[in-house]
Amino acid sequence: MKLSLAIVALALAIPTASYAQDSTAVSNGAYPNTFSSGSANVSPFTNQSKRFNDWSISAGVGVPLMQSADLTSIKNGNGKNLFGYSAYVSIDKAITHAFGINLQYDRGETRQGWFNTKDAAPDGSAVGARTQYDAISLLGDVNFSNLLRRVDNHSPYRWALHGYAGVGTLAYRAYQKTSSGQMLMTEVKPFKLGSMFMQAGAGLKFKVNRRIDIEGRLMYVVTGDDEFDGGGDAYSAVNKRSEQVSDNFFNATLGLSFKLGKHESHLMWHDPLQEIYYKLDVLANKNQDIEVCKKGDADNDGVCDDWDRQLDTPAGARVDGAGVALDTDLDGVIDLYDKCVTVPGPVENNGCPVATTGPVVETETKLEGIEFDLNSDRILPSNTPILNNAVNYINSSNGSYSVIGATDTRGTDAYNQKLSERRANNVKNYLIKNGVQSGKINAIGKGEKDLKYPECEPATKCPEWKNRANRRVYFEAK
């Protein structure tokens, strides 16, 4: 019977030990994907992506002491302090940093009654007994230290309080000895309905190193059997001494745990909160040298050359987000040199209109700065100030103008031609709606045939700001 239990325990232990080694984390490149946010390097949880060891083997020896029985070894009138012996071995699997499952095999002998059965009975009324037992149980393991301990990343984490509870199957042979001699009173085989038992308790672990832990445990075993102590059947004289229906005992043990795997740390010794606080401290104390402008800022306009669209901005000129000097009235004179910032005027007159008795006459001019989002003909709010200035400028001029729409090189020629026409017509309609005479403007679409930056063919050759500049509407005097 004992040999069969040992074989079962060994058969369960071999496959678990075989898979105890794990490898370092490796991302297979499948994540991030279209179903993830793409904001983190996410990898599926596999045996290759684990960071911690989560298997261990534990073994220990101890002393069982009967606590609740008809023949007991704790002094309550039915016996003396008679100590037995026990041993255990278990395969331990950590599920999380605070919970695990242990498959445990126990073997031992309890001693109870008025005298040790190795000795002769002192008198005719004295009764002694011993019980040899084998047990297999499945225990839940709760790491209370990881659940309850305070976060303190300045002290080493070497002690841990564990709680255990579980059920299993119990096989035993109970012997009773009197002045008449010793006899086998009860024998229970394993894996029977009446052989089920429970045990629960606590253990204190000390981390010796990354491979070995020392643990002291105190377990309470509930056999569920009134005949475990060797008192005989339920109606025998011995079993009538107490109304207890279950013979129970304490089992104090001292053991070692051997952690398996390739990683530096075991999951049960890992505290996620501690790791978070450690990383925050590292970030707080780390000096990061951030290089903002790799190519510098040659014109000192506050816009890095990496995305500056005008690398020779005059000193003191105000610029937009792309580093282009501002020209509020779109008269071709930047605000730095324009003495009439809000009123268009020729370059020869420092951007101010020439005093005349009639409207301003322009033989040739070009108004730019109206850009569009990709695949869109919608007039953006940022374009309205430019268009409002264009209304004033066109109305003050005797000339007529062409509103010309253009696109970047994405899409087919036919599609881009229609898109450019829609852009030009939208701007034309906006100008007419805001007071421009319809006879002074007409709309023309040039598609991708009129690129401001011809080198952007195809679009992938250029940065996005150049492609955006190609998606535009501008004005030309007829």
Side-chain angles (χ1 to χ4, degrees):
M1 178 268 295
K2 298 174 185 175
L3 181 60
S4 64
L5 282 174
I7 292 174
V8 171
L10 183 61
L12 291 170
I14 288 175
T16 54
S18 301
Y19 290 96
Q21 297 294 329
D22 50 52
S23 59
T24 56
V26 176
S27 177
N28 62 3
Y31 292 78
N33 57 28
T34 55
F35 303 102
S36 68
S37 66
S39 61
N41 184 20
V42 183
S43 62
F45 182 77
T46 64
N47 203 44
Q48 285 72 36
S49 63
K50 292 191 297 186
R51 295 172 49 203
F52 305 98
N53 302 322
D54 51 11
W55 288 96
S56 61
I57 296 176
S58 300
V61 295
V63 177
L65 187 65
M66 293 299 297
Q67 181 268 338
S68 175
D70 300 286
L71 284 170
T72 179
S73 53
I74 293 181
K75 293 178 180 178
N76 65 350
N78 294 333
K80 296 183 178 181
N81 288 325
L82 302 177
F83 299 98
Y85 66 88
S86 66
Y88 73 90
V89 62
S90 67
I91 301 295
D92 311 326
K93 166 68 174 178
I95 306 300
T96 71
H97 71 293
F99 179 74
I101 295 178
N102 303 343
L103 178 64
Q104 182 166 304
Y105 169 67
D106 291 272
R107 184 174 186 179
E109 179 178 290
T110 63
R111 295 169 184 166
Q112 50 273 355
W114 286 101
F115 64 95
N116 194 320
T117 55
K118 293 182 179 180
D119 304 328
D123 54 58
S125 62
V127 180
R130 63 188 177 92
T131 304
Q132 297 173 341
Y133 67 89
D134 296 87
I136 294 178
S137 57
L138 191 65
L139 301 176
D141 177 1
V142 178
N143 186 342
F144 288 109
S145 293
N146 264 346
L147 285 178
L148 305 175
R149 76 186 188 91
R150 65 188 178 92
V151 176
D152 177 7
N153 59 0
H154 298 293
S155 61
Y157 183 20
R158 304 295 292 271
W159 294 92
L161 178 64
H162 287 247
Y164 303 95
V167 297
T169 180
L170 177 69
Y172 68 88
R173 293 167 63 91
Y175 298 90
Q176 186 183 107
K177 187 174 183 179
T178 63
S179 58
S180 301
Q182 180 173 272
M183 65 188 75
L184 175 63
M185 301 301 292
T186 308
E187 182 175 8
V188 173
K189 300 292 185 180
F191 303 109
K192 303 293 184 181
L193 183 60
S195 68
M196 299 296 293
F197 82 103
M198 299 182 295
Q199 62 174 326
L204 185 62
K205 280 190 176 182
F206 176 74
K207 182 180 179 181
V208 178
N209 54 45
R210 61 181 289 263
R211 288 295 181 193
I212 298 175
D213 298 337
I214 296 177
E215 181 179 23
R217 287 189 195 177
L218 180 63
M219 303 292 291
Y220 186 69
V221 180
V222 180
T223 68
D225 191 339
D226 193 26
E227 301 178 14
F228 180 84
D229 65 346
D233 63 73
Y235 300 101
S236 65
V238 173
N239 270 342
K240 290 182 180 180
R241 295 182 177 182
S242 172
E243 296 180 356
Q244 192 74 29
V245 295
S246 176
D247 298 334
N248 307 330
F249 63 92
F250 288 105
N251 191 17
T253 59
L254 182 65
L256 296 175
S257 292
F258 301 92
K259 292 165 282 189
L260 308 174
K262 297 180 180 179
H263 301 301
E264 289 295 320
S265 180
H266 191 275
L267 183 56
M268 278 289 192
W269 287 105
H270 173 66
D271 181 6
L273 281 177
Q274 181 126 324
E275 182 179 21
I276 291 172
Y277 275 79
Y278 171 76
K279 289 181 177 179
L280 289 176
D281 282 352
V282 171
L283 290 175
N285 297 325
K286 184 176 181 181
N287 293 322
Q288 296 182 350
D289 296 326
I290 301 175
E291 187 176 4
V292 178
C293 293
K294 291 184 179 181
K295 295 182 180 179
D297 182 10
D299 52 9
N300 294 315
D301 61 356
V303 179
C304 296
D305 292 349
D306 304 68
W307 51 84
D308 196 333
R309 292 167 57 181
Q310 184 178 340
L311 297 176
D312 56 351
T313 304
R318 295 184 302 154
V319 298
D320 59 17
V324 178
L326 293 180
D327 180 10
T328 303
D329 54 11
L330 301 174
D331 59 1
V333 181
I334 64 174
D335 292 353
L336 178 66
Y337 303 135
D338 198 333
K339 294 186 177 180
C340 301
V341 175
T342 59
V343 181
V347 176
E348 297 79 11
N349 201 36
N350 297 320
C352 290
V354 178
T356 62
T357 57
V360 177
V361 178
E362 291 289 342
T363 57
E364 182 178 357
T365 186
K366 181 181 289 187
L367 304 177
E368 297 186 351
I370 304 169
E371 298 176 351
F372 291 82
D373 289 336
L374 179 64
N375 194 27
S376 174
D377 57 11
R378 182 177 68 90
I379 295 176
L380 299 174
S382 58
N383 291 332
T384 54
I386 302 174
L387 292 174
N388 292 336
N389 285 333
V391 170
N392 297 330
Y393 186 84
I394 294 173
N395 284 338
S396 65
S397 171
N398 286 330
S400 60
Y401 296 85
S402 294
V403 180
I404 301 172
T407 69
D408 62 18
T409 57
R410 297 182 178 93
T412 63
D413 291 346
Y415 178 82
N416 286 336
Q417 178 61 35
K418 292 181 179 179
L419 178 60
S420 66
E421 292 172 359
R422 294 201 306 271
R423 288 172 175 171
N425 281 312
N426 279 354
V427 171
K428 174 185 174 182
N429 292 336
Y430 180 93
L431 296 176
I432 293 174
K433 183 179 179 181
N434 285 273
V436 173
Q437 298 176 13
S438 60
K440 299 186 71 172
I441 53 175
N442 70 308
I444 300 173
K446 292 188 177 182
E448 60 183 69
K449 300 181 181 64
D450 186 23
L451 298 176
K452 185 175 182 178
Y453 294 98
E455 66 269 21
C456 297
E457 173 63 50
T460 53
K461 287 186 176 180
C462 289
E464 181 56 25
W465 68 263
K466 284 189 176 182
N467 289 315
R468 185 177 184 86
N470 285 331
R471 301 192 296 266
R472 72 197 195 282
V473 163
Y474 62 93
F475 302 87
E476 280 188 354
K478 293 182 180 179

